Amino acid sequence: MPLILTIESTCDETAAAVINDRLEVLSAVVASQEKFHEQFGGVVPEIASRAHVERILPVIDSALRKAGVRLSDLDAVAVANRPGLAGSLLVGLMAAKTLALAGNLPLIAIDHLQAHIYACRLAAGKDVFPCIGLIVSGGHSNIYRCETPLDFTPLGGTIDDAAGEAFDKVASMLGLGFPGGPALQRAAEQGDPKKFRLPRPLLDDDSRLEFSFSGLKTAVRYQLFGAGKPEMNAATLDPQLVADMAASVQAAIIDCLAGKAMLALQQTGFQRLCIGGGVAANRPFRERMERLAAERGIELHIPPLSLCTDNAVMGAIALEKYNAGQFATLDLEISAGLERPHLARST
């Protein structure tokens, strides 16, 4: 029974898990860095990488202990090597290479974005491919045609900011704190989503499976402080205004994500949609997608909240590569940065 240790360190979560060939999770450990980045209103790459250095070995050791296994019991080591923050990726990759070399174990490279969609496979307990995959996170808002767990074709995505980034930056403007997504959702519960007329960029363009959220952030700033004027202290904003703006922004982002997801299904003829990433934890977004799926006869898969944010359990996609004999060599490198499908098509 193959046992695989999976390692995740693409951004600001240090995580490790042990998975067997039945996709059973024998252990899962996540060390969050939220408190380190909260004062800055976003993830600071250098702080993230230093925290990974301090935590990576204790997290791995804890995962092995909780699973009741030793390094010699493993059949492979898997690590997310793309995409993400360069320093963070390097910490996880170096740890995985060291363990693979010391234990004479195969090394498996994981695509972090593919793993987010594979979380739907884990939650469903059955095959969910082929499907349309929508990844919505702090750095990505991408749409893929997923023929198999390892065969992804980009169909579109954001041309500037991701949905999660829009949540974080608007939350910062409103003085709601970090991480912005959960804070904005809580504030929106007391607000009117129709109070402010905000743009839904590209939503009415049926020829493009693309998002744009930078203009939405600018529109919020102008509504709050006026065009060409400096930002005021968020503490001076009326609480009801904050709630109404939070609700209006959340509604605009959800409209864009839902609209393009439905367009992707329409254009491809697929009837199965899998959604992954941190923004998939947003309750109103989940509810909207569930309603649309029920109305249109779409098979929808969204992982539980624990598998939406970054974790090592979704690294179970490594089992697909293990069974296919797709192993990496010890000269494996990272592929840092963000994946933007529109840029890939233009080169």
Side-chain angles (χ1 to χ4, degrees), residues 139-320:
H140 294 88
S141 294
N142 296 355
I143 303 174
Y144 295 90
R145 181 188 184 110
C146 312
E147 295 290 349
T148 73
L150 304 177
D151 182 8
F152 280 41
T153 301
L155 298 179
T158 183
I159 60 175
D160 40 58
D161 296 336
E165 185 178 359
F167 272 122
D168 284 341
K169 291 188 176 180
V170 171
S172 178
M173 278 190 272
L174 296 175
L176 296 174
F178 175 84
L184 191 139
Q185 178 185 314
R186 288 192 295 270
E189 292 173 356
Q190 306 302 319
D192 178 3
K194 297 181 180 180
K195 182 68 175 180
F196 294 98
R197 296 184 61 184
L198 297 174
R200 272 74 167 162
L202 304 180
L203 180 58
D204 294 329
D205 188 346
D206 290 343
S207 67
R208 303 167 65 183
L209 289 172
E210 293 176 339
F211 307 101
S212 174
F213 294 111
S214 63
L216 174 61
K217 295 182 307 179
T218 302
V220 171
R221 187 182 184 282
Y222 287 174
Q223 290 270 14
L224 292 175
F225 311 114
K229 297 181 180 179
E231 291 187 14
M232 298 168 55
N233 187 333
T236 65
L237 296 175
D238 178 75
Q240 189 56 54
L241 181 147
V242 170
D244 290 339
M245 182 58 78
S248 299
V249 169
Q250 180 174 254
I253 293 175
I254 291 174
D255 283 349
C256 293
L257 295 176
K260 293 300 181 177
M262 294 301 107
L263 181 60
L265 291 166
Q266 177 184 327
Q267 289 186 355
T268 59
F270 280 32
Q271 288 294 305
R272 183 184 294 134
L273 174 65
C274 292
I275 304 176
V279 176
N282 180 275
R283 180 177 51 76
F285 174 55
R286 296 169 76 95
E287 292 173 350
R288 169 74 71 83
M289 299 312 298
E290 288 168 357
R291 288 197 301 270
L292 285 172
E295 293 169 0
R296 305 189 184 195
I298 296 165
E299 182 182 333
L300 175 67
H301 296 281
I302 308 178
L305 302 188
S306 62
L307 294 183
C308 288
T309 52
D310 289 350
N311 63 88
V313 173
M314 65 189 192
I317 192 174
L319 183 63
E320 303 286 345

